[in-house]
Amino acid sequence: MSTDATRLWEKGAALDAAIHRFTVGDDPYWDRRLVHWDCLGSAAHARTLSRAGLLDASELGSLLTGLATIDARARDGAFAIPAELEDCHTAIEAELIRSCGAAGEKIHAGRSRNDQVATALRLFMRHHALDWAPQVHRFIEALAQRAAVDGNVPMPGYTHLQPAMPSTVGAWLHALAEAALEQYRALLDLLGRLDSCPLGTGAGYGVPLPLDREYTASLLGFTRVQRSAIDVQNSRGRMEKYFVRVAADFATLLEKLSSDLILFATAEFGFIGLPDALTTGSSIMPQKRNPDVLELLRARGARLRTRLSELEAVTAGLTSGYHRDLQLTKEPPIRTAEELPDMLLIATRVIADFTVDRDRLQTAMRPELYATHAALALTTAGVPFREAYRRIADEVRGGRFDANRAREWRDNPTGVANTIWDAIRDECTALRSQCANVAARIASAESALLPASE
Ligand code: ARG
């Protein structure tokens, strides 16, 4: 691309090179992920300008072809964002001016990089949130399948990491599935929050041109416009937090899964085994098979959660309206979008492939785990609970406790009822079809925005 193009705000005065470098920062790097989305936003804006009589049909055609070409070049890694042009919005506009001439000079009427960047990010986040859905679905399905195989295997339940009550592998898997389902619901809620169109609000105080914002919104596959122009700017960082929040809460769940499995896979616990394909070795200790994959899943989860603090920190003290601070709210959602899918993929793989050592688990089912059950059995026979509690406590302390008192439970460890897994699967199916509806609506809108490029 020609680099004699200038910044959009250039008025002839020289800018200090260090100041320029500092204010541009990493923008050209992160904005590479936004080129496609800014091309779509620009196409919707050009169509809206044309509807308002501000571009004629041939100017519109030329701009749309120019945008499709830029989009295709970006897909091939052949569209550069030179640092002197600051960001993708400027680079795209400069290229349109180069390729479309006068029409290129017209496209910025009624828009600002402030509503452009909000739009590009919203489209980006919407796309990635939709992309997460099938992976979340597969993760939950892997848990359900695992439960169908090992669900009834007894497993000690811990509080304070001390043996507490009898539980099952199925109950442990179920807890993870419910937490994942909650995030699946949150994903749909997120899609709803992201479903308002920022474009057409300019720098944050509206645009004194007859732009049909409802039309722009529908072109981009949004069901509503974001009505307040000021709120468009105020919501930078806020929308990103919603997006990162869903991923961060998922990450928390994956951290718990990792920590549980790391503990269960120790020689001392030995409840589960990790097949060779999931473990890595030591350069010095010949016997080692290490759960590095789980440790890194946990650490990446922890790091992903810091993206949320980053967004909180950058946006907390800002007054209403645009501030350049907001430029730094791009990196956290972009990193998040790139990191979560791999984490989900790896976690799903681990769920499917770890082995359960039924003998070790059986051995770990020490009689005291059944003490609460035994006390409750006495209460059903009419003994007040506090007295039953003392009796069982005495038996345990005196080494006289016999788990046969709770044999009913001990001999029939039941995982989680199939009807519960069925309900989880049904809800997943319903969520998947809701996500698919949103995806279809968006795909049909987006695919109509730009002419097909060769
Ligand atoms: N890179 C900028 C951002 O992300 C784009 C908007 C620049 N707007 C401005 N008024 N300087 O916020």
Side-chain angles (χ1 to χ4, degrees):
M1 80 166 284
S2 80
T3 49
D4 52 4
T6 55
R7 293 177 283 272
L8 297 176
W9 46 267
E10 207 74 59
K11 295 175 203 72
L15 175 67
D16 181 277
I19 301 294
H20 179 251
R21 180 179 49 74
F22 187 78
T23 54
V24 170
D26 308 333
D27 241 23
Y29 178 77
W30 298 113
D31 272 22
R32 290 205 302 231
R33 278 46 153 227
L34 298 182
V35 172
H36 171 62
W37 308 110
D38 195 61
C39 283
L40 293 187
S42 295
H45 180 67
R47 287 174 187 272
T48 307
L49 285 177
S50 153
R51 172 175 270 220
L54 294 160
L55 287 176
D56 66 28
S58 93
E59 288 168 329
L60 175 63
S62 158
L63 286 171
L64 294 178
T65 305
L67 287 165
T69 307
I70 293 170
D71 191 30
R73 275 172 48 196
R75 217 174 13 250
D76 296 341
F79 182 73
I81 304 172
E84 59 271 26
L85 292 188
E86 298 191 316
D87 52 32
C88 70
H89 320 292
T90 311
I92 290 170
E93 195 171 314
E95 178 56 17
L96 287 176
I97 290 170
R98 198 195 61 76
S99 63
C100 311
E105 298 270 353
K106 290 188 174 184
I107 194 169
H108 209 63
R111 75 174 184 181
S112 153
R113 282 182 296 164
N114 294 358
D115 63 343
Q116 275 185 269
V117 60
T119 305
L121 271 163
R122 202 149 313 169
L123 297 174
F124 170 90
M125 292 191 286
R126 183 176 78 172
H127 170 82
H128 285 279
L130 275 168
D131 236 29
W132 294 342
Q135 287 185 298
V136 171
H137 199 97
R138 281 194 287 275
F139 176 77
I140 297 175
E141 183 53 33
L143 292 166
Q145 283 177 17
R146 212 48 229 246
V149 178
D150 296 309
N152 291 341
V153 177
M155 181 191 236
Y158 297 89
T159 68
H160 312 265
L161 210 48
Q162 299 294 324
M165 285 178 71
S167 185
T168 57
V169 171
W172 172 69
L173 293 166
H174 176 216
L176 297 169
E178 292 286 2
L181 183 59
E182 208 170 280
Q183 293 319 306
Y184 204 166
R185 290 183 203 121
L187 193 58
L188 206 72
D189 176 67
L190 168 67
L191 287 167
R193 290 173 186 232
L194 295 174
D195 188 21
S196 69
C197 183
L199 201 56
T201 55
Y205 296 92
V207 175
L209 286 175
L211 300 184
D212 182 346
R213 293 197 56 209
E214 295 284 350
Y215 175 64
T216 319
S218 74
L219 288 174
L220 289 167
F222 289 111
T223 61
R224 57 184 200 278
V225 299
Q226 190 169 3
R227 290 183 297 238
S228 161
I230 297 176
D231 184 54
V232 166
Q233 295 312 313
N234 292 357
S235 65
R236 277 197 74 188
R238 189 174 83 222
M239 294 292 167
E240 287 73 6
K241 269 191 279 177
Y242 298 148
F243 177 78
V244 174
R245 160 77 63 198
V246 172
D249 287 344
F250 220 106
T252 305
L253 149 69
L254 299 183
E255 286 170 61
K256 203 171 281 299
L257 164 70
S258 307
S259 287
D260 283 347
L261 287 176
I262 290 168
L263 180 72
F264 295 162
T266 55
E268 289 70 18
F269 270 73
F271 293 173
I272 65 125
L274 296 169
D276 282 353
L278 297 188
T279 57
T280 38
S282 154
S283 61
I284 179 170
M285 297 167 281
Q287 85 286 10
K288 292 300 289 291
R289 297 304 308 171
N290 296 324
D292 297 32
V293 65
L294 295 170
E295 293 166 316
L296 284 167
L297 193 57
R298 185 169 60 185
R300 281 181 186 232
R303 191 177 60 181
L304 198 153
R305 284 188 291 110
T306 69
R307 319 269 183 235
L308 207 51
S309 333
E310 210 174 321
L311 288 167
E312 287 284 2
V314 170
T315 55
L318 301 180
T319 57
S320 289
Y322 178 79
H323 303 273
R324 190 68 179 263
D325 309 53
L326 296 171
Q327 181 164 295
L328 300 195
T329 62
K330 282 193 283 199
E331 180 180 337
I334 292 174
R335 280 193 184 276
T336 298
E338 287 169 2
E339 287 167 1
L340 185 67
D342 231 17
M343 293 171 60
L344 284 168
L345 179 85
I346 293 298
T348 304
R349 210 26 233 290
V350 171
I351 294 284
D353 290 349
F354 72 80
T355 57
V356 170
D357 190 329
R358 295 178 178 226
D359 294 339
R360 286 293 291 263
L361 278 158
Q362 194 54 62
T363 310
M365 298 304 291
R366 55 184 76 229
E368 305 84 75
L369 284 168
Y370 296 93
T372 307
H373 285 73
L376 288 170
L378 287 176
T379 65
T380 58
V383 181
F385 178 74
R386 200 42 67 207
E387 186 187 329
Y389 175 99
R390 278 192 295 270
R391 261 200 237 170
I392 300 294
D394 285 347
E395 288 182 18
V396 172
R397 212 173 310 119
R400 286 175 282 110
F401 177 68
D402 180 359
N404 274 325
R405 282 173 161 289
R407 93 171 69 75
E408 216 179 298
W409 291 279
R410 192 198 53 196
D411 298 344
N412 300 293
T414 41
V416 172
N418 285 338
T419 50
I420 290 180
W421 285 108
D422 290 345
I424 291 173
R425 281 191 160 115
D426 286 350
E427 192 174 343
C428 282
T429 306
L431 288 164
R432 179 171 57 192
S433 86
Q434 291 176 66
C435 287
N437 289 342
V438 176
R441 186 191 79 224
I442 289 170
S444 95
E446 287 181 355
S447 66
L449 274 170
L450 288 173
S453 58
E454 65 301 330

